[in-house]
Amino acid sequence: MKGIADQWLRDILRTLYQQRTATRSSIIESTGLNAGSVSQALGVLLRNGTILKVGEMESNGGRRREVLTLNQDAAYFIGVDLESHRIRFALASFAGDVRYRWEEDLEPSGSLDVHKLFDGIERIADTLNAQQRGRLLAVGISYPGLMDQEGRLTAVNLGWRQFRIVAELEKAGKARGFGGLPIFLEPDRHSSVRAEQWLGRAQNRRNGAYVS
């Protein structure tokens, strides 16, 4: 990938994620990259199967315009939502479409055992075949409550008070065979705002307000 900036790839993939399908000219317009940079980056993404050509459009002059989209099966992600009184698990394709979803009630009292999270993660991962599982890139966990700089989470609904979630997830992940899988943590309020920006009412808005 010599000579191609990672930021170019991120900008192009973000555009395709938001627009679902795009032509080279619309990618150039959305990203602000020059035609040469876009052409070079798209060549790499097409060769490695990250994006696909799905059709052509008429052009005002010259050759027909290619229509491009994300390859949904290029990668997979697992999402975990710890908000409220249920644990929600989901498998998402590279394009963000939910392929499998599962929910489980939290115990009304007591502290949530972190291994219960990996029971759900493992159940979701088991829906993939061996080849697909090799393309499982990461787990994202949306959490309630407050986390301090030491990675300790206090969340009433989970029965956690200064629970060392980062360390415990790392330890449990290694024990359950997920040691090499990155796990990203994000406050639930941030996840909600991002969802509205990408898919909801805050699309194409510079500012918004979130009330929980």
Side-chain angles (χ1 to χ4, degrees):
M1 215 171 280
K2 185 177 179 182
I4 298 179
D6 288 344
Q7 188 62 48
W8 299 356
L9 300 176
R10 285 193 291 269
D11 290 346
I12 290 170
L13 291 175
R14 184 182 298 111
T15 296
L16 286 169
Y17 179 83
Q18 293 173 337
Q19 298 183 9
R20 293 292 179 168
T21 59
T23 62
R24 291 173 187 259
S25 59
S26 65
I27 290 172
I28 291 169
E29 181 179 355
S30 297
T31 62
L33 297 170
N34 63 53
S37 299
V38 168
S39 180
Q40 192 177 3
L42 288 178
V44 170
L45 294 172
L46 284 164
R47 285 194 297 272
N48 65 23
T50 303
I51 65 174
L52 301 171
K53 177 183 171 181
V54 292
E56 294 183 334
M57 294 177 60
E58 293 289 345
S59 175
N60 293 331
R63 64 183 184 183
R64 294 165 66 88
R65 294 179 293 169
E66 293 179 326
V67 180
L68 305 168
T69 191
L70 294 177
N71 177 2
Q72 294 207 25
D73 294 312
Y76 303 94
F77 305 92
I78 292 176
V80 182
D81 181 6
L82 298 178
E83 188 179 6
S84 189
H85 302 293
R86 310 198 82 187
I87 309 175
R88 299 180 177 90
F89 301 89
L91 174 71
S93 70
F94 189 55
D97 295 323
V98 175
R99 295 290 183 84
Y100 182 79
R101 188 193 307 265
W102 178 58
E103 297 184 5
E104 182 177 353
D105 290 330
L106 288 169
E107 296 294 333
S109 61
S111 177
L112 174 65
D113 184 348
V114 73
H115 279 278
K116 192 165 188 172
L117 297 183
F118 281 95
D119 289 343
I121 291 170
E122 191 167 358
R123 176 169 175 167
I124 295 289
D126 284 345
T127 65
L128 301 171
N129 62 39
Q131 186 178 29
Q132 292 170 328
R133 191 154 178 167
R135 299 197 293 272
L136 180 58
L137 295 189
V139 174
I141 299 177
S142 174
Y143 64 86
L146 297 172
M147 185 184 300
D148 64 20
Q149 294 182 344
E150 303 297 324
R152 296 174 298 194
L153 177 62
T154 297
V156 175
N157 70 310
L158 305 176
W160 289 348
R161 181 176 177 80
Q162 293 192 323
F163 180 70
R164 295 183 177 275
I165 186 172
V166 175
E168 292 298 325
L169 285 172
E170 182 177 350
K171 183 169 66 174
K174 289 179 180 178
R176 299 291 292 268
F178 291 95
L181 188 64
I183 298 178
F184 298 93
L185 295 161
E186 184 171 67
D188 55 4
R189 54 197 177 276
H190 291 183
S191 300
S192 297
V193 170
R194 290 181 189 276
E196 290 296 335
Q197 287 178 326
W198 292 340
L199 303 170
R201 292 182 174 273
Q203 289 185 78
N204 303 316
R205 304 286 185 180
R206 295 187 60 184
N207 299 296
Y210 171 72
V211 181
S212 175

